[in-house]
Amino acid sequence: MATLDFSKPLYALAPLAGFTDLPFRSVVKKFGVDLTVSEMISSNALVHHSKKTYRMLEKSPVEDPYAIQIAGSDLDVIRRAVEIINERDDVTAIDLNCGCPAPKVVNNLQGSSLLTDLPQMGKVIETIKKYSNKEYTSVKFRLGFNEKNHREIARICQESGADYIAVHGRTRAGRYKAAVDYDAIAEIKQMVSIPVLANGDIDSPAKVKKVLEHTGADGVMIGRAAVGKPWIFKQIKEGMDEPSPALIKAVVLEHFDQMIAHYDRYGAILFRKNLHSYSKVGYQGASAFRNEVNRIEDPKEMRAAIEAFFSQPLLGES
């Protein structure tokens, strides 16, 4: 397995439930992202041998390094989940989710609600570290639950054995709407000795540069900005220009084909939300196209609709 190189900025794809599945990650990987992370996996579902959850552990051969993110707070369940992940030799890191704001996750002392019980959060990190045979144990967290207590959270992550952390610069109460507090990420970076990845509203090469300079972070983690624009990592790392219509079309079709290969016919229905994102980069008739694909279930019919829509020039191009 590849190790993580923090000697220069590391660019990671953030885990996003419902989006960062294997087909999407393999497309993003082609644009040079350094680290991909699975969707959040329930440690409970894993130890109860949920077929769907087991499938979520799978990665594309091109993904290396690759992290699996788990959620949970029951130490016995966490240990058993780690032992299942240990059986896979294609995983670089196990990441603990301490950031998800979704009520159904939070209500089970998982995700961001672990921030309300820091001693337990510390024990979960220690358990992962103790039983994992992976190179790295990491934690992705928010600045706090209702109030910010990011320094305390970061300190416990480091003391409990985390090898690096990814910090989303909002509290749980801030969901995805509050302003991201990059000052808080800078404070964390100054007080810990482990690498820190900055996360939250990073959506362009210019923003990456600004955030890295402001926070001193060792890299950035990008989630929502990569949905619909998987080429963002190539733009950041190589200064690639805005993609041509031909490149966008090729990416969308490849992503679609990967979805069908992975999910069979159901992949077409799942791909609707991706098409909503891809169509927003500046095409005529995007809203009508979104309405059209919402009704399509047949993969052949959907592929034809994608071909037709993405063959047109972008608005503003002659």
Side-chain angles (χ1 to χ4, degrees), residues 10-287:
L10 183 116
Y11 300 107
L13 176 67
L16 283 178
F19 283 98
T20 54
D21 55 5
L22 187 155
F24 180 65
R25 295 192 314 265
S26 59
V27 169
V28 174
K29 192 69 187 179
K30 296 206 161 155
F31 290 102
V33 68
D34 298 320
L35 171 67
T36 49
V37 188
S38 74
E39 293 177 87
M40 180 184 75
I41 289 169
S42 157
S43 52
N44 225 5
L46 199 55
V47 303
H48 285 101
H49 305 295
S50 149
K51 270 201 181 114
K52 186 183 168 196
T53 307
Y54 260 77
R55 202 136 189 243
M56 286 165 72
L57 298 175
E58 292 174 14
K59 68 178 253 275
S60 158
V62 297
E63 291 184 88
D64 186 22
Y66 169 65
I68 286 177
Q69 188 188 68
I70 59 174
S73 59
D74 179 300
L75 300 182
D76 183 53
V77 172
I78 288 283
R79 176 185 60 79
R80 286 157 62 203
V82 167
E83 285 166 350
I84 290 167
I85 296 167
N86 281 347
E87 291 167 17
R88 303 189 68 97
D89 56 9
D90 56 1
V91 179
T92 314
I94 297 180
D95 183 69
L96 176 65
N97 181 309
C98 293
C100 180
K104 68 174 187 183
V105 174
V106 166
N107 294 342
N108 293 312
L109 193 63
Q110 297 184 51
S112 58
S113 67
L114 261 177
L115 304 178
T116 65
D117 188 345
L118 296 185
Q120 188 63 17
M121 181 191 81
K123 286 178 190 157
V124 175
I125 299 165
E126 285 168 5
T127 302
I128 296 171
K129 184 78 176 172
K130 180 178 177 182
Y131 291 101
S132 169
N133 63 6
K134 306 305 169 210
E135 183 90 13
Y136 304 92
T137 295
S138 60
V139 185
K140 183 169 191 285
F141 64 86
R142 286 178 174 247
L143 302 178
F145 195 73
N146 290 320
E147 306 296 326
K148 292 175 188 171
N149 59 335
H150 49 280
R151 291 186 197 82
E152 182 71 355
I153 298 165
R155 182 182 65 75
I156 288 176
C157 286
Q158 177 164 288
E159 287 175 359
S160 304
D163 298 294
Y164 67 91
I165 51 179
V167 185
H168 182 101
R170 295 181 174 99
T171 60
R172 190 265 177 170
R175 296 295 182 111
Y176 295 103
K177 294 281 187 272
V180 175
D181 185 349
Y182 298 113
D183 290 341
I185 299 177
E187 286 169 11
I188 288 171
K189 176 59 196 162
Q190 281 165 359
M191 61 169 284
V192 298
S193 56
I194 54 176
V196 176
L197 299 178
N199 172 240
D201 284 5
I202 301 170
D203 56 7
S204 68
K207 188 73 178 274
V208 168
K209 188 171 182 292
K210 199 172 160 185
V211 169
L212 287 175
E213 283 172 2
H214 187 85
T215 61
D218 301 276
V220 296
M221 188 172 257
I222 297 176
R224 288 180 299 162
V227 174
K229 292 184 179 179
W231 45 81
I232 189 170
F233 292 101
K234 199 171 176 77
Q235 291 177 319
I236 292 162
K237 292 175 83 171
E238 297 175 19
M240 182 186 106
D241 292 331
E242 283 303 311
S244 65
L247 175 67
I248 295 171
K249 180 182 171 185
V251 169
V252 177
L253 285 171
E254 185 191 335
H255 190 176
F256 176 74
D257 291 341
Q258 294 253 20
M259 290 291 280
I260 301 305
H262 192 68
Y263 297 108
D264 205 21
R265 285 180 63 86
Y266 186 53
I269 293 168
L270 287 174
F271 198 59
R272 288 171 182 166
K273 63 181 183 294
N274 297 97
L275 287 173
H276 288 203
S277 300
Y278 283 127
S279 65
K280 285 177 181 163
V281 295
Y283 289 97
Q284 194 159 2
S287 153

